[in-house]
Amino acid sequence: MDLNQFIDWSMLANYGMFVSIVFVIVQVIKELPKLINVPTRLISIAVAFVLQLLVNLESGNFQMFDIVLYLISAIIISLTANGAHDATIKIKPNVTE
């Protein structure tokens, strides 16, 4: 596997992979100085929406009238990614030292 193709556009066509990528990107960027005061859920929706647009542009399926559908999909993907994060936090052992 070529490391330049670790993630490709076709991987984003898979719902589970899309959610995972949104999850990881949000975890990395949410602590950036300009985003620190923005609610993580909004960052997550924005990341999912931008990725939706890019995937559809790259595949040649982009349609202006589908932007509403991209936003709805972004919200659903965001909720799933946020739920995965919340579930991870809840099952993580509470370590006190």
Side-chain angles (χ1 to χ4, degrees), residues 75-88:
I75 291 168
I76 293 168
I77 290 165
S78 170
L79 288 171
T80 306
N82 294 336
H85 178 264
D86 293 346
T88 303

Side-chain angles (χ1 to χ4, degrees), residues 9-48:
W9 292 107
S10 66
M11 294 173 77
L12 290 172
N14 176 296
Y15 179 77
M17 185 58 98
F18 198 105
V19 169
S20 298
I21 291 171
V22 168
F23 174 82
V24 170
I25 291 171
V26 170
Q27 293 307 307
V28 170
I29 69 171
K30 72 179 185 178
E31 299 297 325
L32 292 174
K34 292 190 180 209
L35 297 177
I36 197 91
N37 294 322
V38 178
T40 304
R41 296 190 190 294
L42 294 180
I43 296 170
S44 181
I45 291 170
V47 167

